[in-house]
Every structure is written in C-alpha cells, then in structure tokens.
Amino acid sequence: MSSSQRQGPSDRVRQRRRLVIAGSLSLVLLAIAVMVIGYVTGLPSSGDDSSTAAEETETPTPRPSPGEAPAPASIDTFNRAANSIDDPNSLWIVVNKLRPINPQDFEPPDLVEVPVEYTNEPELRQIASDAVVAMFDAARAEAGLELASNSAYRSFSSQENVYDGDDATTARPGFSEHQTGFAIDIGPLSGECSLDVCFADTPEGAWLRDNAHRFGFILRYPADKTPVTGYSFEPWHFRFVGPELAAEMRETGVTTLEEFFGLPPAPDYG
C-alpha cells in the first residue's frame, strides 16, 4: 500500500469536518431558496401590477347629479278616441269652417230650457244646461258675480237670420257650434260689454276664463288662435266639452279643439 492510500486519524477528522460544513451550507442555501420563493409568490403578478397602475391613473367618470338627469318622458294616457268628433250627438263634436254639421238640419234630441238669467231665452242639451246652472251658481257664491245667457242653441234657420256676411265674426248656417246645443254666449247680468271683446276685462269675463273648465266648458275662440279657429276673439263664447276633456286641455295648455285632436286649421271655408 502506497503512502497516498493511507489515511491517518487526522485525515479522517478533516474529511468529516468538510462534510459537516458542506451539509450546513446546503441547509443555509435551502433556507434562502425557500425564503426567496415565498417572497416571489407573495407578490402580485405583472398583470395585476398593470391593472392596479391603470386603476390608480384612470380618472373616474363623474356621475351626473340628480339635477342633470333627463326628465322622464311623459305618457299621454288620455283617450282621444273616447268620443266621436264627427257625430253631432257627441259632446266632442268639432264644428268649424272645414267641418259642417252633418246632417245640415240636425237638431239635438234633448234640448231643454236653461233656468238662468238671460237676454234671449236659452235652450241647451240637458248635460250642458245642468253645467251652466252649476257654473252660474258658483260665480254667484264664490265671487258675487251675476251672469246671464245672451245666446245658446240656434237652429239652421235661426243661423240664417243671424249670419251677417262677416265670416270672421259669424258662422254660416250649418257651420255654427250653436246648432249642436253645446255652445253658449255669456255676459254679465248688467249687460256691460256683452258680446264685446271688453268682456274679457270684466270681473265676470275673468272669472269665466279661470273657472269655466271646472264645469266642462272651454273658451272656444281665444285671442291668439284666429288662424286656427277662423274666428276673431270671442271672450263670451263658451263650448261644453265635458269635465274630462276641459281638464285635460287646461292641464296640457292646448286651447283649441283643432290642435287637441290634430285637425288642420280652419281659417277659411273650404
């Protein structure tokens, strides 16, 4: 055996020390590796980093304040087809210079005398007569005003006598609302400004303008609607259409039957 193959006690001791040191180093390196892996796996992924950065840099879109929110669309629930606008028996009949009464000699079947003060004895259809009585009573009770009827129902032959040839102020026979039994000309009992535009400035005229809708009446020929109705301003001429339609027109601000029912203007006879 050569001298290089022999190992003494001191050599074996040194070898064991080297093995111990190597083992210790291995444990240290393993511990470091475990710490590094734990640290790396605890970090957010690169995708998370970009999204986080984007969230931090993105400017949030401001929400509109309640005042900026668009108003909800209104829904028209009023049934415009509930009554005929062509049948002369219907309280919604529309009569103008393009829409004559048909038949020409129509006479309402339920005409009654209207028990109110008058200059010419009035007749109207029963439902309109009842409404006139209630309206005159309210004017007296609420405002101390005395009203009177100046004209109500007029037949075709009566309109022939009334028509004076002025198409802006008087309807031709067969084209008058008075023939329907739903129209009435109202003035003060005193007679002041009766059948005159100055009636609009009287207490009676102002009260009717503001309250007639409560009883189912509309001011049929407003001052600013001559191109639509074909007639000059008549603050005394009221038309019964029923409480429902009168209230709807008042609420919507539509002042003529032509506009409310989508009919063409009738400034002249066709």
Side-chain angles (χ1 to χ4, degrees):
M1 180 178 298
S2 63
S3 58
S4 60
Q5 293 176 329
R6 296 193 200 102
Q7 289 185 341
S10 59
D11 292 332
R12 287 194 293 270
V13 170
R14 284 194 296 269
Q15 186 176 6
R16 283 196 299 270
R17 286 178 179 175
R18 285 196 293 268
L19 291 174
V20 170
I21 292 172
S24 300
L25 288 173
S26 297
L27 292 174
V28 171
L29 291 175
L30 180 60
I32 292 173
V34 170
M35 292 175 62
V36 170
I37 291 172
Y39 176 77
V40 171
T41 56
L43 291 176
S45 64
S46 59
D48 291 339
D49 288 342
S50 62
S51 63
T52 302
E55 291 174 358
E56 291 176 352
T57 58
E58 182 180 356
T59 302
T61 302
R63 296 181 178 179
S65 64
E68 297 173 347
S74 60
I75 300 175
D76 185 1
T77 59
F78 190 84
N79 182 9
R80 285 171 169 76
N83 292 288
S84 172
I85 61 174
D86 303 310
D87 183 354
N89 284 297
S90 170
L91 77 167
W92 289 2
I93 175 70
V94 180
V95 179
N96 59 32
K97 293 177 180 179
L98 297 178
R99 298 173 59 86
I101 295 175
N102 186 23
Q104 188 180 61
D105 61 351
F106 171 76
E107 181 176 333
D110 58 345
L111 287 173
V112 297
E113 293 183 1
V114 186
V116 296
E117 298 289 346
Y118 60 85
T119 55
N120 293 292
E121 188 171 4
E123 288 184 318
L124 287 173
R125 301 193 67 166
Q126 182 69 65
I127 188 173
S129 173
D130 293 342
V132 166
V133 172
M135 184 164 64
F136 279 33
D137 287 346
R140 183 183 305 107
E142 296 174 8
L145 301 174
E146 297 290 340
L147 301 174
S149 169
N150 291 322
S151 184
Y153 168 72
R154 294 199 294 262
S155 66
F156 181 90
S157 59
S158 296
Q159 193 66 23
E160 287 181 309
N161 296 326
V162 170
Y163 179 62
D164 61 3
D166 186 348
D167 288 335
T169 60
T170 312
R172 297 177 184 179
F175 293 83
S176 173
E177 276 200 331
H178 285 281
Q179 191 176 339
T180 67
F182 289 128
I184 182 171
D185 295 337
I186 304 173
L189 184 60
S190 66
E192 179 186 1
C193 289
S194 290
L195 302 179
D196 196 302
V197 293
C198 64
F199 178 62
D201 299 321
T202 65
E204 292 85 356
W207 189 91
L208 287 170
R209 179 196 64 218
D210 296 337
N211 294 278
H213 67 281
R214 295 163 47 196
F215 306 91
F217 289 89
I218 62 170
L219 179 64
R220 182 66 176 98
Y221 304 125
D224 60 340
K225 295 298 181 178
T226 296
V228 176
T229 66
Y231 293 100
S232 302
F233 180 36
E234 294 190 1
W236 61 85
H237 182 106
F238 287 85
R239 161 68 193 277
F240 183 76
V241 295
E244 293 79 11
L245 178 54
E248 181 70 11
M249 292 179 67
R250 180 82 173 189
E251 182 177 346
T252 59
V254 181
T255 57
T256 69
L257 295 176
E258 287 81 5
E259 292 170 308
F260 187 84
F261 289 110
L263 299 172
D268 300 299
Y269 290 96

